Amino acid sequence: MNSPSVKFADRINPIVVKEIRQAVKGRFTSWTLILTLAIELIIIGFVLVFSKDIGKNFSIGQSLFVGLLMFLLFVCVFLVPVSTGTRISSEKTSSNVDLFFITTLKPVQIISGKLLTAIIVILLFFTASLPFMTLTYLLRGLDLPTIFVILVFNFLVTAGCVQFCIFQACLPGGIVSRIMRLLITLFILLVVYQIAGAASSEMLHKGIGSTITTWDFWSHALTSVSYILIGLGFLFVISVALISPTSANRVFSVRLYLLFSWLATGIISVIWFFAAQNRSFLQAWLMLMTITFAINMLASVCERQIPSQRILKDIPKKPILRLPAFFLFSGPAGGVSFSIIMLTMTFLIYSLISEIIAPPLKAFSDSNQELLLTAIGLALYACCYSLTSLNIKAAFFKKSSTYSTMTGIISFLLVGSILPVIIGFLLRQNIWEELSPLWYIGNPMVLLLEEKIWVECFTFTGIWASVAFSISLPWFFRQLKSFKPI
Amino acid sequence: MEVKVVNLKKYFKKTKAVDDISFDLLSGQITAFVGPNGAGKTTAMRIMATIDEPDQGDVLIDGISAIQYPEKVRKLVGFMPDFLPTHPDMTVDDYLDFFARAFGIRDYEKRKKIVRQTEEFTNLITIKDKFLKALSKGMKQRVSLARAIIHDPPVLILDEPAAGLDPRARVELRESLKALAKKGKIIFVSSHILSELAEICDTVVIIEKGKLLKAGGIQQISRENMHLSVMIRSTSDLQKLAQALQKMPQIKDAKVMPNCVAAEIKGSEAESGKILAALVKDGFEIIEIKHVKTSLEDIFMNITKGELA
């Protein structure tokens, strides 16, 4: 008869068991941990030996805490996520068939196993460093709740970094693309490291622990945590979809998740909008959803146009279920339509709450339509680029792979954004100052930088999107008509 | 249980690695998959094992498409690639335990029993606590075979399983494969050592430049491609003997070898009696006349041209 602990061990994700065993038997994790603790000890010793007037200096605890935290963050933001990502990247190559190709492990088990293992390792580093961190409390200048809040915040950030690295490792591509992605990832991690460090210092100086009982703390903390967790969940769902079989309806869970997060973040934002009487919550939701669905629209173009036999078999037989299924099943037509519908609903709900329901209330008498217009402009740019790419793909590259289409779209976006500027620069005899903002009109970012040419931007994208939409409309109807089970 | 490969095509840019091949595999049979280097054997096997996707065609394992439902097919297939991927800091026992878990064998006692049985079957029991990176090529091949059979799949796809094995291990592998086939498993095995395959295989699939040249029972293909030959030893002048043979209507060709004359006969074995009688009548002193069987190697050499895909 197996004991409960054995039964529990039998239920653990096989990848977690394998990777933890490897970590315990290998040298990398143990030596990194020993080295981390040794360096933290040296930092403490150095500060204690060389600081003058320890008894009178009230900021010494804070300084030491920041020093220790930045070192711990360096290990947990760079080493653990990058090593997790590179391992997945190498295991995903077809020359290494073990995990992704020959076992019956589900994609969700693989990703959750990798994420959980990295989180356990990070937790090990945090736990091992905790005695040194709390030692700083004895040196004064900070309180225990502040230490706790900062550590929780940074733990969430590092978990996000791990999931981001797992996501980028799951993306398709050859060796060149993998190296480029690694460099981009390292840059993003560096930015996150700096932001997390700066945010931790800010929390420390403000003494965030003292505000722990206030409404303001919890409104911001819960909103931030919700957004981090939803973002983490989104990357998780995409990673699972990326390593799922290409014949499967890979985007189903992604689109359902998008729908769920749109609803969940929308409800949170509306509640805080009215409760805290602060527009920033709703504005953040508007921009976040605009960017998310704009990216989703571009990504949808990469999906295969001819559905697999497996997808065709899974299409609901009842016509009433078939229409919603069209938007949730793999395929560029459904994906682009889904994004357009979600963007339209986002703008309508934002306008309804921010511009119609809220203004009569005293706290919201000021109107802010600029942000809404920026969001609509960004959505129009996304429509222009995705519909044009879709038309080009449908006409010339029907059988192109996801990776080739993705590369094509990114190149199209770069050319559309940069080429007119270069032409303008050359025509203007190499004088930047004389370059009209109109030369930037192909770049979506112009909406954020140049308010002067908004009219031109909307005219340009409006005409472009209408033309692209008119051309692709018959194709959309053909796709909808052919969306039938076999 | 049946495996059906249907019009499989896989191109790497302009290279046709696998070009429209179709064949069937049946339970309890060991099938040899032979072809020159670069013929497309590994590519076809990887598609059958759900590792790669074809450009066209399908592989049906017990009626389930390996292209549409790879996750279902993986339960039915054990794949042994021609090398073992590197796993740092892992022992043989841990490695097999992981795969047993990954194939859904969750119960501790059951898993331990299966892992032990597999280690015994593949002779890994003495090295079960060794790290994978410390193993020789032959040992790694055994671990790879153990991994392929850990979930007791009905179909085994083995790519060059004998590569790197010493003579004893090769004999053991042959016996293991025979034992697995007796259990009713479909075994599809590629190898360059054709003499070894001939001993254990019932059927053969021969490809070259990605195209299927022959598929069927070894005996049937042997019959179709049979060249009945005799080897004649004599104390007489071998040159004259060869010339005399070439004049006979039953002989296709005759060549002088170091100690004998090799002759290819038209018709059946019965012709050799007539040939012997004619030679004795002509005054040749014959010490020995022996029939030479066509080997799998001969068939392979006759059918293929040795061209790359």
Side-chain angles (χ1 to χ4, degrees):
Chain A
M1 194 68 181
N2 290 339
S3 64
S5 63
V6 172
K7 277 185 182 169
F8 173 72
D10 288 344
R11 306 312 304 171
I12 299 174
N13 186 320
I15 291 180
V16 176
V17 178
K18 170 186 166 273
E19 304 247 329
I20 295 291
R21 275 180 183 164
Q22 280 181 285
V24 170
K25 287 182 181 168
R27 288 181 189 160
F28 178 74
T29 310
S30 49
W31 277 103
T32 312
L33 182 64
I34 291 167
L35 207 64
T36 306
L37 295 179
I39 290 172
E40 285 181 349
L41 205 62
I42 290 167
I43 293 171
I44 291 174
F46 191 83
V47 170
L48 291 179
V49 170
F50 293 101
S51 296
K52 289 174 184 172
D53 299 327
I54 291 176
K56 292 173 190 169
N57 189 347
F58 287 97
S59 65
I60 199 156
Q62 282 190 7
S63 309
L64 184 57
F65 180 80
V66 170
L68 292 174
L69 181 74
M70 290 312 282
F71 182 70
L72 178 67
L73 265 183
F74 174 79
V75 174
C76 295
V77 165
F78 288 99
L79 287 186
V80 181
V82 171
S83 70
T84 306
T86 37
R87 274 175 90 143
I88 294 179
S89 205
S90 70
E91 282 165 0
K92 206 165 68 70
T93 57
S94 57
S95 58
N96 192 344
V97 295
D98 280 17
L99 267 189
F100 290 85
F101 301 104
I102 63 169
T103 67
T104 50
L105 284 171
K106 289 176 185 155
V108 69
Q109 282 178 294
I110 295 173
I111 300 297
S112 59
K114 293 284 182 187
L115 178 65
L116 203 59
T117 310
I119 285 176
I120 290 169
V121 173
I122 286 173
L123 208 56
L124 177 73
F125 280 94
F126 267 72
T127 318
S129 302
L130 207 59
F132 298 118
M133 298 279 190
T134 44
L135 188 76
T136 58
Y137 168 69
L138 301 175
L139 297 170
R140 291 174 292 182
L142 73 169
D143 53 301
L144 283 175
T146 301
I147 294 175
F148 175 74
V149 170
I150 291 173
L151 286 180
V152 169
F153 166 75
N154 283 296
F155 177 74
L156 279 172
V157 169
T158 50
C161 290
V162 170
Q163 185 52 65
F164 177 73
C165 286
I166 291 175
F167 158 72
Q168 74 79 25
C170 291
L171 287 168
I175 183 79
V176 178
S177 136
R178 271 162 53 196
I179 292 168
M180 278 179 69
R181 287 198 321 254
L182 178 67
L183 294 174
I184 294 168
T185 304
L186 285 174
F187 175 74
I188 291 170
L189 292 181
L190 185 69
V191 173
V192 171
Y193 176 72
Q194 286 177 333
I195 292 172
S200 301
S201 292
E202 186 68 18
M203 283 191 251
L204 200 63
H205 292 306
K206 277 188 177 175
I208 196 131
S210 59
T211 63
I212 207 159
T213 51
T214 62
W215 167 253
D216 190 50
F217 170 83
W218 286 106
S219 68
H220 282 90
L222 285 176
T223 310
S224 310
V225 169
S226 307
Y227 272 93
I228 290 175
L229 289 179
I230 287 170
L232 204 141
F234 183 55
L235 288 175
F236 179 87
V237 173
I238 297 184
S239 308
V240 171
L242 283 168
I243 64 160
S244 296
T246 48
S247 59
N249 185 11
R250 303 205 285 183
V251 301
F252 184 73
S253 51
V254 177
R255 295 211 187 127
L256 268 188
Y257 187 85
L258 278 176
L259 203 60
F260 156 78
S261 42
W262 176 82
L263 203 64
T265 50
I267 290 168
I268 294 171
S269 303
V270 171
I271 290 170
W272 288 136
F273 172 72
F274 285 112
Q277 299 193 335
N278 189 341
R279 277 184 187 275
S280 61
F281 292 104
L282 204 60
Q283 287 171 338
W285 177 74
L286 171 75
M287 288 314 285
L288 195 69
M289 289 302 127
T290 304
I291 293 165
T292 305
F293 288 110
I295 293 170
N296 184 63
M297 198 189 301
L298 288 162
S300 300
V301 180
C302 304
E303 288 164 29
R304 51 198 274 183
Q305 292 199 12
I306 304 154
S308 69
Q309 295 287 307
R310 180 172 173 172
I311 291 177
L312 290 173
K313 273 183 190 170
D314 290 345
I315 294 173
K317 288 190 171 60
K318 289 182 182 171
I320 196 160
L321 293 174
R322 212 178 298 158
L323 187 65
F326 176 73
F327 300 111
L328 298 175
F329 271 46
S330 283
V336 171
S337 317
F338 173 77
S339 305
I340 292 173
I341 291 169
M342 294 310 292
L343 282 167
T344 313
M345 280 168 65
T346 307
F347 300 145
L348 286 175
I349 289 170
Y350 179 84
S351 309
L352 184 76
I353 294 170
S354 176
E355 307 302 326
I356 299 170
I357 299 174
L361 305 171
K362 204 177 173 184
F364 303 108
S365 52
D366 60 319
S367 173
N368 185 357
Q369 290 182 339
E370 278 177 15
L371 202 75
L372 179 64
L373 286 173
T374 309
I376 294 172
L378 285 174
L380 273 173
Y381 270 104
C383 280
C384 294
Y385 279 101
S386 14
L387 290 172
T388 309
S389 307
L390 200 62
N391 289 329
I392 295 170
K393 192 187 172 190
F396 306 107
F397 306 104
K398 272 182 189 164
K399 286 186 177 176
S400 68
S401 68
T402 304
Y403 178 63
S404 316
T405 317
M406 198 165 77
T407 315
I409 292 173
I410 293 170
S411 312
F412 181 35
L413 253 170
L414 287 174
V415 168
S417 305
I418 298 166
L419 195 66
V421 184
I422 295 170
I423 293 169
F425 178 64
L426 294 173
L427 289 175
R428 284 279 160 189
Q429 293 169 338
N430 305 352
I431 305 166
W432 283 112
E433 287 74 20
E434 288 184 14
L435 202 63
S436 158
L438 281 172
W439 288 104
Y440 295 90
I441 209 158
N443 189 339
M445 291 302 124
V446 78
L447 285 167
L448 305 172
L449 305 171
E450 286 286 347
E451 281 183 31
K452 285 182 282 183
I453 58 160
W454 269 20
V455 177
E456 289 87 342
C457 272
F458 277 97
T459 314
F460 171 70
T461 51
I463 293 169
W464 183 6
S466 308
V467 171
F469 188 70
S470 312
I471 295 170
S472 55
L473 206 57
W475 177 84
F476 268 99
F477 280 115
R478 277 201 304 277
Q479 293 285 308
L480 188 60
K481 212 177 160 185
S482 64
F483 189 73
K484 284 176 188 164
I486 52 167
Chain B
M1 174 65 72
E2 189 186 26
V3 174
K4 272 184 172 293
V5 175
V6 190
N7 303 116
L8 212 57
K9 282 184 188 177
K10 177 78 180 175
Y11 301 160
F12 294 110
K13 291 183 181 166
K14 284 182 181 174
T15 309
K16 294 174 180 176
V18 177
D19 191 10
D20 201 13
I21 63 169
S22 303
F23 56 88
D24 296 349
L25 308 173
L26 296 171
S27 279
Q29 282 188 345
I30 303 178
T31 304
F33 194 32
V34 292
N37 285 332
K41 297 188 298 292
T42 300
T43 308
M45 286 186 138
R46 287 168 68 90
I47 293 170
M48 292 169 75
T50 76
I51 293 163
D52 289 334
E53 283 187 26
D55 292 313
Q56 262 182 52
D58 208 341
V59 177
L60 300 170
I61 295 178
D62 208 16
I64 304 167
S65 162
I67 318 306
Q68 301 299 326
Y69 301 97
E71 62 274 45
K72 285 184 185 173
V73 163
R74 282 173 198 159
K75 282 181 190 165
L76 306 172
V77 172
F79 177 60
M80 177 182 173
D82 52 356
F83 66 95
L84 186 75
T86 47
H87 285 274
D89 313 315
M90 230 180 168
T91 65
V92 172
D93 207 43
D94 285 346
Y95 186 69
L96 295 178
D97 181 74
F98 163 68
F99 277 96
R101 278 175 185 266
F103 279 112
I105 309 161
R106 289 292 169 93
D107 181 69
Y108 176 78
E109 295 296 337
K110 193 180 168 190
R111 199 172 62 243
K112 282 284 147 198
K113 194 179 157 193
I114 288 171
V115 169
R116 190 172 175 81
Q117 282 173 348
T118 311
E119 285 167 348
E120 280 170 357
F121 185 76
T122 48
N123 270 333
L124 288 170
I125 206 85
T126 51
I127 57 159
K128 70 186 180 77
D129 294 321
K130 276 196 173 184
F131 281 100
L132 290 175
K133 61 185 173 191
L135 300 181
S136 66
K137 166 92 175 152
M139 301 252 193
K140 281 182 181 171
Q141 287 293 90
R142 286 192 209 175
V143 175
S144 199
L145 177 66
R147 185 193 62 185
I149 61 172
I150 194 101
H151 59 301
D152 194 24
V155 181
L156 282 173
I157 298 169
L158 316 173
D159 191 6
E160 299 284 348
L165 296 186
D166 58 43
R168 176 180 285 278
R170 279 184 188 169
V171 174
E172 285 169 1
L173 175 74
R174 268 199 322 252
E175 295 309 313
S176 305
L177 294 184
K178 277 185 199 171
L180 289 166
K182 270 187 187 170
K183 285 185 186 175
K185 293 189 190 301
I186 294 173
I187 300 172
F188 190 50
V189 53
S190 77
S191 176
H192 286 302
I193 307 155
L194 299 176
S195 54
E196 290 194 349
L197 285 179
E199 281 184 41
I200 55 166
C201 294
D202 312 289
T203 50
V204 63
V205 175
I206 303 174
I207 64 165
E208 190 176 33
K209 287 177 78 177
K211 281 192 183 298
L212 182 79
L213 300 181
K214 284 273 176 195
I218 284 190
Q219 287 186 344
Q220 183 205 332
I221 291 177
S222 298
R223 269 199 302 275
E224 284 169 8
N225 295 273
M226 181 88 84
H227 299 287
L228 192 60
S229 302
V230 285
M231 190 267 291
I232 305 166
R233 281 177 64 211
S234 170
T235 51
S236 308
D237 184 352
L238 295 180
Q239 201 65 44
K240 283 183 182 171
L241 178 65
Q243 283 170 1
L245 281 166
Q246 272 170 346
K247 286 174 190 166
M248 291 183 186
Q250 300 95 331
I251 298 292
K252 260 190 194 170
D253 191 23
K255 280 178 194 165
V256 178
M257 309 300 276
N259 301 315
C260 63
V261 174
E264 208 175 303
I265 301 173
K266 291 176 191 167
S268 66
E269 280 183 351
E271 299 296 331
S272 51
K274 290 175 190 167
I275 294 165
L276 181 62
L279 288 175
V280 172
K281 197 181 165 188
D282 289 349
F284 288 102
E285 288 180 1
I286 305 298
I287 302 169
E288 186 186 7
I289 181 161
K290 194 166 80 176
H291 284 112
V292 181
K293 274 188 177 176
T294 312
S295 65
L296 185 61
E297 230 157 33
D298 296 327
I299 299 171
F300 176 73
M301 293 304 285
N302 282 335
I303 292 174
T304 62
K305 292 170 191 161
E307 291 172 1
L308 294 175

Short mmCIF file of all heavy atoms in Angstrom, two decimals, chain B residues 26-60:
data_model
loop_
_atom_site.label_atom_id
_atom_site.label_comp_id
_atom_site.label_asym_id
_atom_site.label_seq_id
_atom_site.Cartn_x
_atom_site.Cartn_y
_atom_site.Cartn_z
N LEU B 26 2.31 -5.26 -40.72
CA LEU B 26 1.33 -6.06 -39.97
C LEU B 26 1.87 -6.54 -38.63
O LEU B 26 3.09 -6.63 -38.43
CB LEU B 26 0.92 -7.28 -40.81
CG LEU B 26 0.18 -6.96 -42.12
CD1 LEU B 26 0.04 -8.22 -42.95
CD2 LEU B 26 -1.18 -6.34 -41.85
N SER B 27 0.95 -6.88 -37.73
CA SER B 27 1.30 -7.35 -36.38
C SER B 27 2.18 -8.59 -36.44
O SER B 27 1.98 -9.46 -37.29
CB SER B 27 0.04 -7.72 -35.62
OG SER B 27 -0.54 -6.59 -35.12
N GLY B 28 3.14 -8.66 -35.53
CA GLY B 28 3.98 -9.85 -35.40
C GLY B 28 5.06 -9.95 -36.45
O GLY B 28 5.82 -10.92 -36.47
N GLN B 29 5.14 -8.95 -37.32
CA GLN B 29 6.15 -8.99 -38.39
C GLN B 29 7.29 -8.03 -38.10
O GLN B 29 7.06 -6.93 -37.58
CB GLN B 29 5.52 -8.60 -39.72
CG GLN B 29 4.71 -9.72 -40.35
CD GLN B 29 4.26 -9.36 -41.76
OE1 GLN B 29 4.32 -8.21 -42.17
NE2 GLN B 29 3.81 -10.37 -42.48
N ILE B 30 8.49 -8.48 -38.46
CA ILE B 30 9.63 -7.56 -38.40
C ILE B 30 9.90 -7.15 -39.85
O ILE B 30 10.11 -8.01 -40.71
CB ILE B 30 10.87 -8.22 -37.79
CG1 ILE B 30 10.56 -8.75 -36.38
CG2 ILE B 30 12.03 -7.24 -37.74
CD1 ILE B 30 11.72 -9.45 -35.70
N THR B 31 9.85 -5.85 -40.08
CA THR B 31 10.06 -5.37 -41.45
C THR B 31 11.37 -4.60 -41.53
O THR B 31 11.61 -3.69 -40.73
CB THR B 31 8.89 -4.45 -41.88
OG1 THR B 31 7.69 -5.19 -41.73
CG2 THR B 31 9.04 -3.99 -43.32
N ALA B 32 12.18 -4.97 -42.50
CA ALA B 32 13.45 -4.26 -42.72
C ALA B 32 13.18 -3.07 -43.63
O ALA B 32 12.44 -3.19 -44.60
CB ALA B 32 14.45 -5.20 -43.37
N PHE B 33 13.78 -1.95 -43.28
CA PHE B 33 13.64 -0.75 -44.10
C PHE B 33 15.02 -0.44 -44.63
O PHE B 33 15.90 0.01 -43.88
CB PHE B 33 13.11 0.39 -43.22
CG PHE B 33 12.60 1.58 -43.98
CD1 PHE B 33 12.02 1.46 -45.23
CD2 PHE B 33 12.66 2.85 -43.42
CE1 PHE B 33 11.52 2.56 -45.91
CE2 PHE B 33 12.17 3.96 -44.09
CZ PHE B 33 11.60 3.80 -45.35
N VAL B 34 15.25 -0.76 -45.89
CA VAL B 34 16.62 -0.61 -46.42
C VAL B 34 16.66 0.33 -47.61
O VAL B 34 15.67 0.52 -48.33
CB VAL B 34 17.22 -1.99 -46.81
CG1 VAL B 34 17.46 -2.85 -45.59
CG2 VAL B 34 16.37 -2.73 -47.81
N GLY B 35 17.82 0.91 -47.76
CA GLY B 35 18.06 1.85 -48.85
C GLY B 35 19.43 2.45 -48.66
O GLY B 35 19.96 2.42 -47.55
N PRO B 36 20.01 3.00 -49.72
CA PRO B 36 21.34 3.59 -49.57
C PRO B 36 21.30 4.80 -48.64
O PRO B 36 20.21 5.29 -48.32
CB PRO B 36 21.71 4.03 -50.99
CG PRO B 36 20.64 3.54 -51.89
CD PRO B 36 19.46 3.17 -51.06
N ASN B 37 22.46 5.30 -48.26
CA ASN B 37 22.50 6.51 -47.43
C ASN B 37 21.80 7.64 -48.17
O ASN B 37 22.00 7.81 -49.38
CB ASN B 37 23.96 6.93 -47.19
CG ASN B 37 24.63 6.05 -46.16
OD1 ASN B 37 23.97 5.50 -45.29
ND2 ASN B 37 25.93 5.88 -46.29
N GLY B 38 20.99 8.40 -47.46
CA GLY B 38 20.29 9.53 -48.08
C GLY B 38 19.08 9.11 -48.90
O GLY B 38 18.55 9.91 -49.68
N ALA B 39 18.62 7.88 -48.72
CA ALA B 39 17.47 7.40 -49.51
C ALA B 39 16.15 7.95 -48.98
O ALA B 39 15.15 7.94 -49.68
CB ALA B 39 17.43 5.88 -49.49
N GLY B 40 16.15 8.41 -47.72
CA GLY B 40 14.93 8.96 -47.12
C GLY B 40 14.36 8.08 -46.01
O GLY B 40 13.23 8.29 -45.58
N LYS B 41 15.17 7.13 -45.56
CA LYS B 41 14.68 6.19 -44.52
C LYS B 41 14.37 6.93 -43.22
O LYS B 41 13.27 6.81 -42.67
CB LYS B 41 15.75 5.11 -44.21
CG LYS B 41 16.09 4.20 -45.37
CD LYS B 41 16.98 3.08 -44.92
CE LYS B 41 18.32 3.49 -44.37
NZ LYS B 41 19.25 4.07 -45.32
N THR B 42 15.35 7.70 -42.74
CA THR B 42 15.16 8.40 -41.46
C THR B 42 14.01 9.39 -41.54
O THR B 42 13.19 9.48 -40.62
CB THR B 42 16.47 9.10 -41.04
OG1 THR B 42 17.47 8.08 -40.90
CG2 THR B 42 16.34 9.83 -39.72
N THR B 43 13.90 10.10 -42.66
CA THR B 43 12.80 11.07 -42.82
C THR B 43 11.46 10.36 -42.73
O THR B 43 10.56 10.81 -42.01
CB THR B 43 12.92 11.79 -44.19
OG1 THR B 43 14.24 12.31 -44.30
CG2 THR B 43 11.92 12.90 -44.33
N ALA B 44 11.33 9.23 -43.45
CA ALA B 44 10.06 8.49 -43.43
C ALA B 44 9.76 7.98 -42.02
O ALA B 44 8.61 8.07 -41.55
CB ALA B 44 10.13 7.33 -44.41
N MET B 45 10.80 7.49 -41.34
CA MET B 45 10.59 6.96 -39.97
C MET B 45 10.18 8.08 -39.01
O MET B 45 9.34 7.88 -38.14
CB MET B 45 11.87 6.29 -39.49
CG MET B 45 12.12 4.95 -40.14
SD MET B 45 13.51 4.15 -39.40
CE MET B 45 12.93 2.48 -39.28
N ARG B 46 10.79 9.24 -39.18
CA ARG B 46 10.46 10.37 -38.29
C ARG B 46 9.01 10.82 -38.52
O ARG B 46 8.33 11.22 -37.57
CB ARG B 46 11.43 11.53 -38.52
CG ARG B 46 12.82 11.26 -37.96
CD ARG B 46 13.80 12.28 -38.44
NE ARG B 46 13.51 13.59 -37.90
CZ ARG B 46 14.00 14.06 -36.75
NH1 ARG B 46 14.81 13.31 -36.04
NH2 ARG B 46 13.70 15.24 -36.32
N ILE B 47 8.56 10.74 -39.76
CA ILE B 47 7.16 11.11 -40.03
C ILE B 47 6.24 10.07 -39.36
O ILE B 47 5.25 10.43 -38.72
CB ILE B 47 6.88 11.20 -41.55
CG1 ILE B 47 7.66 12.36 -42.16
CG2 ILE B 47 5.39 11.37 -41.82
CD1 ILE B 47 7.67 12.40 -43.67
N MET B 48 6.62 8.79 -39.49
CA MET B 48 5.79 7.73 -38.88
C MET B 48 5.75 7.86 -37.36
O MET B 48 4.77 7.49 -36.73
CB MET B 48 6.35 6.35 -39.27
CG MET B 48 6.19 6.04 -40.74
SD MET B 48 7.11 4.59 -41.22
CE MET B 48 6.08 3.29 -40.54
N ALA B 49 6.84 8.40 -36.79
CA ALA B 49 6.90 8.55 -35.33
C ALA B 49 6.37 9.90 -34.86
O ALA B 49 6.57 10.27 -33.70
CB ALA B 49 8.34 8.36 -34.87
N THR B 50 5.72 10.67 -35.74
CA THR B 50 5.09 11.97 -35.47
C THR B 50 6.09 13.10 -35.17
O THR B 50 5.71 14.16 -34.68
CB THR B 50 4.05 11.94 -34.30
OG1 THR B 50 4.76 11.89 -33.07
CG2 THR B 50 3.10 10.79 -34.40
N ILE B 51 7.36 12.88 -35.48
CA ILE B 51 8.34 13.94 -35.21
C ILE B 51 8.31 15.00 -36.30
O ILE B 51 8.35 16.19 -36.02
CB ILE B 51 9.75 13.34 -35.07
CG1 ILE B 51 9.78 12.47 -33.83
CG2 ILE B 51 10.82 14.41 -35.00
CD1 ILE B 51 10.92 11.52 -33.78
N ASP B 52 8.22 14.58 -37.54
CA ASP B 52 8.13 15.52 -38.66
C ASP B 52 6.76 15.39 -39.32
O ASP B 52 6.10 14.36 -39.18
CB ASP B 52 9.21 15.23 -39.70
CG ASP B 52 10.59 15.60 -39.18
OD1 ASP B 52 10.66 16.49 -38.32
OD2 ASP B 52 11.58 14.99 -39.62
N GLU B 53 6.39 16.45 -40.04
CA GLU B 53 5.12 16.39 -40.78
C GLU B 53 5.41 16.25 -42.27
O GLU B 53 6.33 16.88 -42.77
CB GLU B 53 4.33 17.68 -40.56
CG GLU B 53 3.65 17.71 -39.22
CD GLU B 53 2.73 18.90 -39.07
OE1 GLU B 53 2.23 19.41 -40.08
OE2 GLU B 53 2.53 19.32 -37.94
N PRO B 54 4.62 15.43 -42.97
CA PRO B 54 4.87 15.30 -44.41
C PRO B 54 4.27 16.47 -45.18
O PRO B 54 3.43 17.19 -44.65
CB PRO B 54 4.14 14.00 -44.74
CG PRO B 54 3.01 13.96 -43.78
CD PRO B 54 3.47 14.65 -42.53
N ASP B 55 4.69 16.63 -46.42
CA ASP B 55 4.05 17.63 -47.27
C ASP B 55 2.73 17.09 -47.82
O ASP B 55 1.80 17.85 -48.07
CB ASP B 55 4.99 18.01 -48.43
CG ASP B 55 6.20 18.75 -47.92
OD1 ASP B 55 6.02 19.67 -47.11
OD2 ASP B 55 7.33 18.39 -48.28
N GLN B 56 2.68 15.79 -48.00
CA GLN B 56 1.45 15.13 -48.46
C GLN B 56 1.41 13.72 -47.91
O GLN B 56 2.43 13.18 -47.50
CB GLN B 56 1.44 15.07 -49.98
CG GLN B 56 0.64 16.18 -50.62
CD GLN B 56 0.62 16.02 -52.13
OE1 GLN B 56 0.29 14.98 -52.64
NE2 GLN B 56 1.00 17.08 -52.82
N GLY B 57 0.25 13.12 -47.96
CA GLY B 57 0.11 11.72 -47.54
C GLY B 57 -0.16 11.60 -46.05
O GLY B 57 -0.29 12.61 -45.35
N ASP B 58 -0.25 10.38 -45.61
CA ASP B 58 -0.58 10.15 -44.20
C ASP B 58 0.00 8.82 -43.71
O ASP B 58 0.39 7.98 -44.53
CB ASP B 58 -2.11 10.14 -44.03
CG ASP B 58 -2.53 10.57 -42.64
OD1 ASP B 58 -1.69 10.55 -41.73
OD2 ASP B 58 -3.70 10.95 -42.46
N VAL B 59 0.07 8.69 -42.41
CA VAL B 59 0.47 7.42 -41.80
C VAL B 59 -0.68 7.05 -40.86
O VAL B 59 -1.01 7.82 -39.96
CB VAL B 59 1.78 7.56 -41.01
CG1 VAL B 59 2.13 6.26 -40.32
CG2 VAL B 59 2.91 8.00 -41.91
N LEU B 60 -1.30 5.90 -41.10
CA LEU B 60 -2.42 5.49 -40.26
C LEU B 60 -1.96 4.35 -39.36
O LEU B 60 -1.54 3.30 -39.85
CB LEU B 60 -3.60 5.05 -41.12
CG LEU B 60 -4.16 6.10 -42.07
CD1 LEU B 60 -5.15 5.49 -43.02
CD2 LEU B 60 -4.81 7.22 -41.29
#
